[in-house]
Amino acid sequence: MAVTKIHPVKTTLNKAIDYICNPDKTDNQILISSYGCSYQTADIEFGFTLSKARDKGDNLGHHLIQSFAPGEVSYEEAHRIGKELADKVLGGRYEYVLTTHIDKGHIHNHIIFCAVDFTTHRKYVSNKKSYYQIRNESDRLCKEHGLSVVTPGQDKGKKYAEWDAERRGTSWKAKLKALIDDTIPKAKDFDDFLRLMEAAGYEINRGKFVSFRAPGQERFTRSKTLGEAYTVEAITERIAGTYRAKPKALRQEKAGISMLIDIQNSIKAAESKGYEQWAKIHNLKQAAKTLNFLTEHDISEYEQLQAARNGGKLPDFKKLHTEYKELTEKKDKLYQEYGKLKKKVKQYDTIKQDVDTILRQARQPEKEHKKER
């Protein structure tokens, strides 16, 4: 389940973009994408688009945030969903920078887009209608990617009363999850985490499964029932800063051709009949995809496949990296020149306005003199 919110950027656009591109938050800037601009110079490019608008309003851009439930999505998948959302709701008409932040307990996307359409130079209208379009599109993408979307009467095993209680913040589980998320950054280790939870008023059962009970709550709640990010192992890793969300195995079927599972040597298959049945179905689907691929590419002999594999050599990475670096440097120089020219043009505009004012003032006494005659 993803939660969305949006707010305008009225000043310091460059600082807002710098914040969402922070290397510590974006896995060393790996989780950054952009459209219609470069994230390094997006504020300048936004400014150029804004300068062409007749009615740009008071906003320089809009900041859209899409947050995912802890443990439900991987970094890469969250980033893909964010890009699909931006491309859909902005329709390829607005420059944007997308980043995925991984420094907190929950993965979340930041999308900053220009307040003006770069094709017609009309301003983006942010209201209830446009927000609900964003939220509905985000929910649709969550469903497509196998993530939970809680809707009254159409939820996944959750009663409406519990969903409504969670929406209003009164669910025991919702309160417990919120407190765990708030306590983890303060804890030194798992024992310290439990001590802080007790200090917050929770009774703790340290049996086979760690469980919590709030004052007034009838039964204990096992931490692992809150989700993948709330098991003892996950909480310990989150405290240490080593936790990485694991995508659900079933979601792997949506990818292209993947390796077949060796059921005979699989420990999971030996322990679970359900997993073994899923693995067999998965293998059948992958075998069908493999056969389709071979047919489409007219490969009927193993030697042909081997030759095709050997022939598909990747370009030299060092060479590509050097070319990319050279192009980046060239682009940076061009933007520096653009910035200087922009200042110069602005200066000339100011001088022209001053000259026009002086000329108007000079003509005024002459006009008055003619009227007197």
Side-chain angles (χ1 to χ4, degrees), residues 144-163:
E144 280 189 6
H145 285 260
L147 307 182
S148 62
V149 176
V150 180
T151 307
Q154 298 176 357
D155 52 315
K156 298 181 180 181
K158 185 179 287 188
K159 293 179 181 178
Y160 175 76
E162 185 179 351
W163 174 87

Side-chain angles (χ1 to χ4, degrees), residues 189-283:
D189 51 36
F190 189 74
D191 287 335
D192 189 39
F193 164 76
L194 293 179
R195 181 186 63 77
L196 291 169
M197 291 295 289
E198 282 181 326
Y202 273 78
E203 185 181 351
I204 300 173
N205 186 339
R206 307 187 190 208
K208 186 179 178 182
F209 302 103
V210 173
S211 53
F212 302 87
R213 183 166 64 183
Q217 185 179 353
E218 187 179 347
R219 297 180 181 178
F220 279 88
T221 301
R222 289 181 181 177
S223 64
K224 70 170 192 173
T225 64
L226 301 175
E228 185 186 324
Y230 298 90
T231 63
V232 172
E233 293 79 10
I235 291 172
T236 304
E237 288 175 4
R238 286 171 67 184
I239 293 169
T242 59
Y243 177 73
R244 290 239 172 193
K246 302 172 186 68
K248 294 181 181 178
L250 290 175
R251 266 183 245 143
Q252 291 175 357
E253 290 183 9
K254 294 187 178 181
I257 297 171
S258 64
M259 297 292 290
L260 297 183
I261 296 166
D262 186 352
I263 299 171
Q264 289 183 330
N265 295 320
S266 173
I267 296 170
K268 284 186 177 180
E271 292 176 348
S272 168
K273 283 288 178 187
Y275 178 85
E276 183 181 354
Q277 182 64 20
W278 172 82
K280 286 178 180 177
I281 294 169
H282 170 83
N283 283 352

Side-chain angles (χ1 to χ4, degrees), residues 49-277:
T49 303
L50 288 161
S51 69
K52 293 188 173 184
R54 289 185 179 179
D55 178 22
K56 66 180 179 182
D58 299 325
N59 303 326
L60 302 175
H62 296 275
H63 188 166
L64 170 60
I65 302 170
Q66 182 186 36
S67 303
F68 298 92
E72 194 176 54
V73 66
S74 67
Y75 304 154
E76 295 79 8
E77 187 175 22
H79 196 74
R80 284 197 299 272
I81 293 171
K83 192 169 188 320
E84 289 179 50
L85 177 64
D87 290 342
K88 183 67 178 177
V89 299
L90 300 177
R93 301 190 308 276
Y94 296 84
E95 299 141 303
Y96 71 75
V97 177
L98 157 70
T99 70
T100 302
H101 283 195
I102 60 174
D103 59 319
K104 293 187 178 178
H106 64 287
I107 298 170
H108 54 286
N109 290 324
H110 290 271
I111 303 167
I112 293 182
F113 61 94
C114 186
V116 169
D117 176 337
F118 65 66
T119 56
T120 63
H121 301 112
R122 293 179 180 174
K123 67 179 180 181
Y124 178 86
V125 179
S126 182
N127 52 29
K128 283 186 178 180
K129 184 180 178 181
S130 62
Y131 169 70
Y132 282 117
Q133 181 196 356
I134 291 169
R135 195 176 76 176
N136 292 338
E137 190 60 34
S138 177
D139 287 348
R140 184 188 68 78
L141 288 168
C142 284
K143 287 178 183 177
E144 280 189 6
H145 285 260
L147 307 182
S148 62
V149 176
V150 180
T151 307
Q154 298 176 357
D155 52 315
K156 298 181 180 181
K158 185 179 287 188
K159 293 179 181 178
Y160 175 76
E162 185 179 351
W163 174 87
D164 188 54
E166 188 167 326
R167 177 180 64 83
R168 290 182 286 106
T170 56
S171 162
W172 296 117
K173 284 188 176 181
K175 286 183 177 179
L176 178 56
K177 285 173 74 173
L179 182 62
I180 289 174
D181 290 339
D182 187 54
T183 305
I184 284 173
K186 303 172 185 174
K188 297 175 184 176
D189 51 36
F190 189 74
D191 287 335
D192 189 39
F193 164 76
L194 293 179
R195 181 186 63 77
L196 291 169
M197 291 295 289
E198 282 181 326
Y202 273 78
E203 185 181 351
I204 300 173
N205 186 339
R206 307 187 190 208
K208 186 179 178 182
F209 302 103
V210 173
S211 53
F212 302 87
R213 183 166 64 183
Q217 185 179 353
E218 187 179 347
R219 297 180 181 178
F220 279 88
T221 301
R222 289 181 181 177
S223 64
K224 70 170 192 173
T225 64
L226 301 175
E228 185 186 324
Y230 298 90
T231 63
V232 172
E233 293 79 10
I235 291 172
T236 304
E237 288 175 4
R238 286 171 67 184
I239 293 169
T242 59
Y243 177 73
R244 290 239 172 193
K246 302 172 186 68
K248 294 181 181 178
L250 290 175
R251 266 183 245 143
Q252 291 175 357
E253 290 183 9
K254 294 187 178 181
I257 297 171
S258 64
M259 297 292 290
L260 297 183
I261 296 166
D262 186 352
I263 299 171
Q264 289 183 330
N265 295 320
S266 173
I267 296 170
K268 284 186 177 180
E271 292 176 348
S272 168
K273 283 288 178 187
Y275 178 85
E276 183 181 354
Q277 182 64 20

Side-chain angles (χ1 to χ4, degrees), residues 315-323:
D316 182 71
F317 177 77
K318 286 185 179 178
K319 188 179 177 183
L320 282 175
H321 182 72
T322 303
E323 289 178 5

Side-chain angles (χ1 to χ4, degrees), residues 36-51:
C37 63
S38 168
Y39 75 88
Q40 295 99 329
T41 53
D43 58 317
I44 296 174
E45 295 177 75
F46 282 22
F48 181 72
T49 303
L50 288 161
S51 69

